[in-house]
Amino acid sequence: MKNHFRLLRDSVRALRTAWKGALPAVLIPRADAASAVGAMSDSGLVRVVDALSALARAVGALQALVAGEVARRSRPELGPAGLAKGQGFSSPADLLAASAGASLGEAKALITVGEATAGRESFTGERMPSPHPFVQAALTAGRISVAGAAMITRMLDRVACRAHPELLMATEEALTAAAAQLSLGSLSVAVKYAEARLDTDGVQPREEELHAGRSLSIVEEKSGAVRLTGVFAPVDGAVVAAAINALVSTELRRARDAFGSGRAYTCPDGTPTDACVCVDPALTEQRTLTQMRADALADIARHVIGCEQTTIDATTAVVVRMDLEDLTDPDSAGVASIDGIAQPISAETARGLAASAGIIPLVLGGDSAPLDLGRSQRLFTRAQKIALAERDGGCAFPGCARPPQFCDAHHIRWWDRHHGPTDITNGILLCSHHHHLIHREGWGIQVAENRTWFTPPVHIDPGQRPRPGNNLRRLLMRPVVVSAGENDASAAGAVGIAGERAA
């Protein structure tokens, strides 16, 4: 309990310090909070956001602790004498939701985490540690949120009866360490792959269930519009998405490259042409992404009906990533991933796709194509882009969720200005928005030990603390391994992801 209140006190103190530091030297006396926030500097406001987030995590940790106790006192076997029913609620989740003005889902997450991280009692009354010590420690220290903790503990509890205890503990440590750096969306993908690795027998039944649930309805509405609603299994969905996204990406690149690329051009504010981010209204893409996808699907249908030439880039492909052992061993129960699709697939399905047209099996641990071109070629090759996607997982910029299909390979050390080589170590995947942001704002990029790091400019972070890129999620999608020679729970202290120690 002392740890929780110490965390709350320290978080409030940090918020007060961040708030005062963000205010200008001269502020109107007795200004209200809204006026104070409006007067904050950009960097100061970001520090306040960070401090508020830390305080929210501290409050969430204490809420989970209390929610777990509310649930314990409202156990079904207590009947009307239970706490929740005694207060007029049908369940502890209803009580918590009503008190906080929150949804039932949020209340259930608090209960899940509270129960999963609470200490236990043995039949002899002896006090036992939490069943999820790494999650409990990170939650109490304010490093992860209740939502992240619930995602991890629910998955671990689902597979607990079918997974090896040491591997369970190792996976918990790796996911908990990563949850402090990942968004909930990225953590969700990592948790799916962790579950597939822990419960390999469950991957294929899930595939069959998803395949059985496929559907496509075509309805003409009263307005005359035609509505298509479809649900596809991961493999089929990846093919459909790859074809549509290829056309959308082509249109986006055309709109991006058209302005100033084919004629002499001088930026009005004097910015060099290669760094200009001005936009010509006549050449700007006016359609939304959903409209562009609808147009792309219609274009594909027209091509199938009678067009003689496709507008899909010849380099378009579905990339399936798997370990060499899983590809070559027909008895392997491993898992594989498809670029742009969060749901893992079984190694058996991936082996069946390896010979399909338009599908590239990227094998980890096998022979590879030449990936370093030095100064002999400016543009990155298809093989290089696929390899960069294996490292970066999509746009590498922190917090960006753009998949590889919407990214281009860029030189970290510029080809023209810095004479940078067209090599994997000098390449990085970025979406168009973050590519321009990095050049415009002056972010630094480093690649160390197969991890990408982004250093913000001084005006964003005076301390210029490097921020980890998105490829942590890609590393988490690989097997979690336990150091050789360790046979007990202490092995979790030497656990890494794909052979590396979890950060």
Side-chain angles (χ1 to χ4, degrees), residues 70-240:
V70 169
R72 190 185 72 82
R73 299 188 186 188
S74 306
R75 300 187 305 278
E77 61 266 27
L78 296 178
L83 176 61
K85 290 186 177 179
Q87 297 293 319
F89 296 94
S90 60
S91 70
D94 287 325
L95 187 156
L96 294 168
S99 175
S103 67
L104 273 177
E106 292 170 317
K108 289 178 180 178
L110 284 170
I111 292 174
T112 295
V113 175
E115 292 180 331
T117 57
R120 299 164 293 170
E121 283 189 4
S122 67
F123 290 113
T124 60
E126 181 183 0
R127 194 67 179 172
M128 299 173 63
S130 164
H132 298 294
F134 292 108
V135 173
Q136 191 269 339
L139 190 71
T140 303
R143 294 193 298 270
I144 64 175
S145 66
V146 168
M151 198 177 293
I152 295 171
T153 55
R154 281 170 175 163
M155 182 277 291
L156 292 173
D157 291 342
R158 277 197 303 270
V159 301
C161 62
R162 297 183 295 277
H164 192 282
E166 288 183 14
L167 195 54
L168 273 174
M169 191 67 71
T171 302
E172 180 187 341
E173 182 186 20
L175 288 174
T176 302
Q181 304 177 43
L182 294 174
S183 66
L184 278 179
S186 294
L187 179 62
S188 174
V189 175
V191 168
K192 284 183 179 180
Y193 276 84
E195 182 171 4
R197 295 287 183 184
L198 290 169
D199 182 19
T200 55
D201 291 338
V203 177
Q204 197 159 4
R206 278 194 294 272
E207 283 183 340
E208 295 170 355
E209 181 181 347
L210 291 172
H211 184 69
R214 67 194 184 284
S215 67
L216 178 64
S217 62
I218 305 175
V219 179
E220 183 176 351
E221 298 184 334
K222 292 181 179 180
S223 64
V226 177
R227 177 179 295 277
L228 277 67
T229 304
V231 178
F232 300 90
V235 174
D236 295 333
V239 174
V240 173

Side-chain angles (χ1 to χ4, degrees), residues 183 225 231 373 425 446 482:
S183 66
V231 178
L373 302 175
T425 54
Q446 296 82 35
V482 180

Side-chain angles (χ1 to χ4, degrees), residues 452-470:
T452 53
W453 297 88
F454 292 76
T455 303
V458 175
H459 68 273
I460 292 179
D461 181 3
Q464 291 195 290
R465 294 163 295 181
R467 303 179 183 182
N470 273 338

Side-chain angles (χ1 to χ4, degrees), residues 35-410:
S35 299
V37 169
M40 290 179 180
S41 63
D42 288 350
S43 59
L45 185 59
V46 171
R47 289 195 295 272
V48 168
V49 169
D50 290 340
L52 282 169
S53 298
L55 179 58
R57 289 193 296 271
V59 172
L62 193 54
Q63 283 182 309
L65 179 70
V66 172
E69 180 61 20
V70 169
R72 190 185 72 82
R73 299 188 186 188
S74 306
R75 300 187 305 278
E77 61 266 27
L78 296 178
L83 176 61
K85 290 186 177 179
Q87 297 293 319
F89 296 94
S90 60
S91 70
D94 287 325
L95 187 156
L96 294 168
S99 175
S103 67
L104 273 177
E106 292 170 317
K108 289 178 180 178
L110 284 170
I111 292 174
T112 295
V113 175
E115 292 180 331
T117 57
R120 299 164 293 170
E121 283 189 4
S122 67
F123 290 113
T124 60
E126 181 183 0
R127 194 67 179 172
M128 299 173 63
S130 164
H132 298 294
F134 292 108
V135 173
Q136 191 269 339
L139 190 71
T140 303
R143 294 193 298 270
I144 64 175
S145 66
V146 168
M151 198 177 293
I152 295 171
T153 55
R154 281 170 175 163
M155 182 277 291
L156 292 173
D157 291 342
R158 277 197 303 270
V159 301
C161 62
R162 297 183 295 277
H164 192 282
E166 288 183 14
L167 195 54
L168 273 174
M169 191 67 71
T171 302
E172 180 187 341
E173 182 186 20
L175 288 174
T176 302
Q181 304 177 43
L182 294 174
S183 66
L184 278 179
S186 294
L187 179 62
S188 174
V189 175
V191 168
K192 284 183 179 180
Y193 276 84
E195 182 171 4
R197 295 287 183 184
L198 290 169
D199 182 19
T200 55
D201 291 338
V203 177
Q204 197 159 4
R206 278 194 294 272
E207 283 183 340
E208 295 170 355
E209 181 181 347
L210 291 172
H211 184 69
R214 67 194 184 284
S215 67
L216 178 64
S217 62
I218 305 175
V219 179
E220 183 176 351
E221 298 184 334
K222 292 181 179 180
S223 64
V226 177
R227 177 179 295 277
L228 277 67
T229 304
V231 178
F232 300 90
V235 174
D236 295 333
V239 174
V240 173
I244 292 176
N245 289 339
L247 293 180
V248 173
S249 297
T250 299
E251 292 298 318
L252 289 174
R253 290 191 184 98
R254 185 177 298 152
R256 179 195 67 193
D257 296 339
F259 181 47
S261 61
R263 62 185 185 276
Y265 169 74
T266 303
C267 180
D269 63 5
T271 303
T273 303
D274 60 352
C276 176
V277 293
C278 297
V279 177
D280 185 343
L283 298 171
T284 302
E285 177 57 66
Q286 300 294 324
R287 294 172 294 174
T288 65
L289 275 176
T290 54
Q291 289 173 330
M292 295 178 74
R293 291 189 187 111
D295 292 344
L297 182 59
D299 287 342
I300 292 171
R302 291 188 190 97
H303 167 69
V304 171
I305 291 174
C307 291
E308 296 181 356
Q309 185 176 2
T310 179
T311 55
I312 296 179
D313 189 339
T315 62
T316 299
V318 176
V319 179
V320 179
R321 301 173 188 270
M322 62 189 305
D323 293 328
L324 177 61
E325 180 182 351
D326 293 332
L327 177 63
T328 57
D329 182 4
D331 297 322
S332 172
V335 296
S337 64
I338 305 175
D339 278 5
I341 302 295
Q343 179 65 37
I345 63 174
S346 67
E348 181 178 345
T349 298
R351 285 191 293 270
L353 293 172
S356 301
I359 295 180
I360 297 178
L362 189 145
V363 181
L364 307 178
D367 294 334
S368 60
L371 297 179
D372 291 335
L373 302 175
R375 296 284 298 174
S376 64
Q377 182 173 315
R378 175 171 184 168
L379 298 179
F380 287 88
T381 65
R382 183 187 194 184
Q384 286 178 311
K385 292 176 182 177
I386 292 174
L388 285 172
E390 173 60 30
R391 186 194 70 193
D392 298 340
C395 179
F397 195 86
C400 184
R402 288 281 185 180
Q405 297 92 325
F406 289 99
C407 300
D408 287 324
H410 298 284

